[in-house]
Amino acid sequence: MKVVVIDKATFERMLSGFKIFAEKVERLCREHEDLGEKEWLDSDDICRQLCVSPRPLQTMRVAYTEISHKVYYRLEDVKTVFPVVEMKRRMTADKGRKCNVTNQ
């Protein structure tokens, strides 16, 4: 274990920098929330929502973001690529059936 000692002025500059960073992140989050870009789902969530297996998401050209080796999709982007799947999902839901897609 290492102990690092810094002077008070350095600590206060660091703390000020963290506060500025946090304010920027909060501002960016508010801006993106206003644009309606607040719902990001991972592959398993998308598969459950649309009642599809993971393979179609991998083969279709759907916009995604990767963070720490995990892929996230905006539900709106996926629905534009899979309008037929969404329609079938709704029809199945209207009949009271559950989709049989399970993701391990």
Side-chain angles (χ1 to χ4, degrees), residues 47-70:
C47 289
R48 279 192 296 276
Q49 288 266 340
L50 299 179
C51 294
V52 296
S53 65
R55 188 69 180 158
L57 288 176
Q58 295 170 355
T59 58
M60 298 299 291
R61 298 197 183 274
V62 179
Y64 66 91
T65 297
E66 187 174 339
I67 302 172
S68 297
H69 306 291
K70 186 161 179 147

Side-chain angles (χ1 to χ4, degrees), residues 3-19:
V3 176
V4 178
V5 179
I6 59 174
D7 61 273
K8 183 178 179 180
T10 302
F11 176 76
E12 288 175 354
R13 281 195 311 272
M14 288 174 49
L15 189 58
S16 175
F18 288 134
K19 286 180 183 178

Side-chain angles (χ1 to χ4, degrees), residues 61-100:
R61 298 197 183 274
V62 179
Y64 66 91
T65 297
E66 187 174 339
I67 302 172
S68 297
H69 306 291
K70 186 161 179 147
V71 176
Y72 295 92
Y73 301 90
R74 283 187 38 216
L75 184 57
E76 295 81 21
D77 292 339
V78 175
K79 284 182 178 180
T80 60
V81 175
F82 291 104
V84 174
V85 173
E86 175 63 13
M87 182 182 72
K88 287 181 180 179
R89 184 189 67 79
R90 286 183 183 168
M91 290 171 52
T92 302
D94 290 342
K95 293 179 182 177
R97 297 184 203 155
K98 301 240 184 227
C99 65
N100 59 1

